[in-house]
Amino acid sequence: LPAEQSTGWGRISLPADANNSDNEYFFVFADEPQRRVVVVTEDRAATRALEVAAGISATGETNATVDIVAPEQLDSLALDDAALLIWQTSLPDASTAPAVKNYVDAGGQVMFYPPSSLIAGGASASSSFLGVAWEDWKADANVMVDNWRGDQDLLAATASGMGLPVGQLKIDSYATLKSEVELSKLSTLSGGDPLVAKLPTQRGGVYFVTTSADPKVSSLAESGVVLFVVIQRAIELGQQALGNTTQRTAGMGDEATSDWRQLAGRSDILSTEFNLQSGVYQSDSRLFAINRAVAEDQQEVLEDRQLESLFDGLSMSRVDDTAGNLSGIVREIWRLFLIAMIVAMLLEAALCLPKAFTPRSRSAIPKFN
């Protein structure tokens, strides 16, 4: 690629086989947007660990800019180009909630932490956001993390399959939530209360962490692996919404495609079907790469009872084997060698048979004087 090219698209093609619909995969690329994090807090001591975790990146190459904002200073301009909003004060009220909601609707990520006023007084908070509010503060609870979602979202295992040490966290105190909607519990404490809960949204992400990063309350800051990974993943999700390139699954987008321009893919499709067909499309400065769902190309394995029900009443021979087992191949090869050896031995025996002796007549015997 030319050194000055920062945005583009590509295509990976495999040799054609019986299924022509999965022979190509499209992708788009661009420089990462700015890593900017906005922290709304009433207690800098309680958010110090959060600021440190948000201010550095996993690679250390492009560190984030962390802006500390008071609640009364927050507006839509303060959230422009922000990959993550960390909120550690009373939940947004009527003056700040619209800006936060618009930010989430645009794909932004928000992480709410219990306010210091709730921790100090232990009283329930009156304000709510999208139907969720802080309820009570349970001090000196000394609970353990019971379970967490290790297959997806912020607490998922690493790419190598190693799980996050969520179960090693020590939670001395935490807050309970009162919600008008059903929350998705990414992690629960012993007793059933959530440690990390996610609010269902159309776009963006809204997370509630029910304990504080203050060392007096939990070991989030002391055992900083979980805190760092969670914040970094939230920043990455926010950057995907800010970027000009998007990888999508066919049929998942619901926006209008009338202003899209096709750059790659089948040429016999209508513009209204762009979000349903694999290809690369452009809308203003944004690039979209659309591909088939991964599940469509995955072959499911039938269980024994399903196989028996499918072939019920039919004569069937079943061979069970495992991947990498060469016994069947070796058995077939030795069968050929055995047949060849038997043929060779029969041929050798035929060649070794003695010739038949035929006695000659007396007249044929010469006489000597």
Side-chain angles (χ1 to χ4, degrees), residues 304-320:
D304 293 344
R305 56 181 181 83
Q306 294 176 321
L307 186 63
E308 293 174 358
S309 61
L310 287 175
F311 293 93
D312 186 22
L314 298 177
S315 178
M316 177 187 67
S317 297
R318 171 175 167 175
V319 178
D320 294 326

Side-chain angles (χ1 to χ4, degrees), residues 121-202:
S124 61
S126 58
S127 60
S128 64
F129 179 73
L130 298 179
V132 183
W134 300 112
E135 190 171 19
D136 296 318
W137 181 256
K138 294 188 176 182
D140 301 327
N142 194 17
V143 293
M144 303 294 293
V145 179
D146 193 12
N147 57 71
W148 64 93
R149 294 290 302 270
D151 57 343
Q152 61 180 354
D153 224 299
L154 300 184
L155 299 176
T158 62
S160 62
M162 181 179 298
L164 298 181
V166 184
Q168 301 177 10
L169 293 176
K170 181 182 179 183
I171 310 299
D172 294 332
S173 305
Y174 67 95
T176 57
L177 293 171
K178 180 174 59 177
S179 177
E180 300 175 359
V181 296
E182 185 176 357
L183 298 175
S184 175
K185 298 181 181 180
L186 303 183
S187 177
T188 57
L189 301 171
S190 53
D193 291 325
L195 173 62
V196 181
K198 183 178 182 180
L199 179 70
T201 56
Q202 294 293 332

Side-chain angles (χ1 to χ4, degrees), residues 365-369:
I365 300 176
K367 293 180 179 181
F368 299 94
N369 295 324

